[in-house]
Amino acid sequence: MKEAVVEQPDQRIVDALSVWWQQLSYRNQAAEWSLYFMFLTGIFLWNQIPVPWQLERLLLVIHVVASLVLFPVTVVPFWLSHRRLLKRSKKKLLKVTGQLIDYILLGCALSGIYLLILGNRGDDLGWVIYMVHLVTALLVVPILIRHAAKWSVLKPLWSWCLPKANSSDL
């Protein structure tokens, strides 16, 4: 009778993946840029902002493709790897804003998937899902900016107006 031999994965590979996963959870500019890009391409699809139909059609395609590619490739891995930091953080503001971002991003992602698959068909449920997607998108950006203020890719926008001693205290 043969015994089943379970081969152990090379420890170096496991260690390298562990280090990569840990580094992924810190200051991920690609994830932040992706969220801002999806917000900008999506906000122009809001019916309160008049955009020519040809541009709106192009923005819709860009928004959907970016959401299907950028969100799972950049945001989701960062989001999942960032959980450990959220659990261990002693900074109340970062914990609260981080948890808010979790719930808001989840609502935005789920409503986006619904809109992608079924669309807004003009009924009450479609309108509610559309509004959930819009409101969560409008909420996530300012909370994200505050949450990531110290390391944000947008920091140059506000760091010029702060005294040098205070710009690192964001």
Side-chain angles (χ1 to χ4, degrees):
M1 175 180 250
K2 287 187 172 182
E3 291 185 30
V5 178
V6 178
E7 294 182 22
Q8 295 294 326
D10 189 355
Q11 191 61 34
R12 292 175 297 186
I13 294 172
V14 173
D15 291 342
L17 286 173
S18 178
V19 168
W20 170 78
W21 190 252
Q22 184 177 2
Q23 288 175 341
L24 185 63
S25 67
Y26 289 95
R27 304 176 191 161
N28 192 313
Q29 292 182 344
E32 189 179 356
W33 276 121
S34 297
L35 288 172
Y36 295 142
F37 181 75
M38 287 182 283
F39 174 77
L40 284 175
T41 58
I43 198 68
F44 288 107
L45 300 173
W46 186 16
N47 59 7
Q48 299 300 312
I49 300 175
V51 175
W53 168 243
Q54 294 83 1
L55 180 59
E56 187 173 351
R57 187 173 58 183
L58 177 63
L59 285 171
L60 179 60
V61 170
I62 291 169
H63 182 72
V64 169
V65 170
S67 299
L68 289 172
V69 174
L70 294 177
F71 192 78
V73 170
T74 64
V75 177
V76 171
F78 172 68
W79 192 4
L80 295 175
S81 66
H82 205 65
R83 299 303 92 236
R84 183 180 48 84
L85 296 179
L86 181 63
K87 289 177 186 173
R88 293 189 341 202
S89 178
K90 304 255 189 279
K91 298 176 180 176
K92 181 117 173 115
L93 178 76
L94 293 181
K95 283 187 87 138
V96 170
T97 56
Q99 288 173 335
L100 281 172
I101 291 169
D102 279 351
Y103 297 129
I104 293 169
L105 266 183
L106 184 62
C108 194
L110 292 176
S111 60
I113 290 168
Y114 178 92
L115 290 171
L116 174 70
I117 294 171
L118 297 176
N120 183 353
R121 296 175 290 164
D123 59 349
D124 290 341
L125 180 62
W127 181 83
V128 168
I129 299 295
Y130 165 76
M131 290 307 292
V132 166
H133 195 66
L134 175 64
V135 170
T136 55
L138 292 172
L139 289 173
V140 79
V141 170
I143 296 170
L144 176 65
I145 288 171
R146 181 58 192 108
H147 180 76
K150 192 172 182 180
W151 304 282
S152 177
V153 296
L154 301 179
K155 187 177 178 181
L157 295 177
W158 59 76
S159 63
W160 65 270
C161 64
L162 296 173
K164 290 295 179 194
N166 293 338
S167 69
S168 65
D169 295 336
L170 283 177

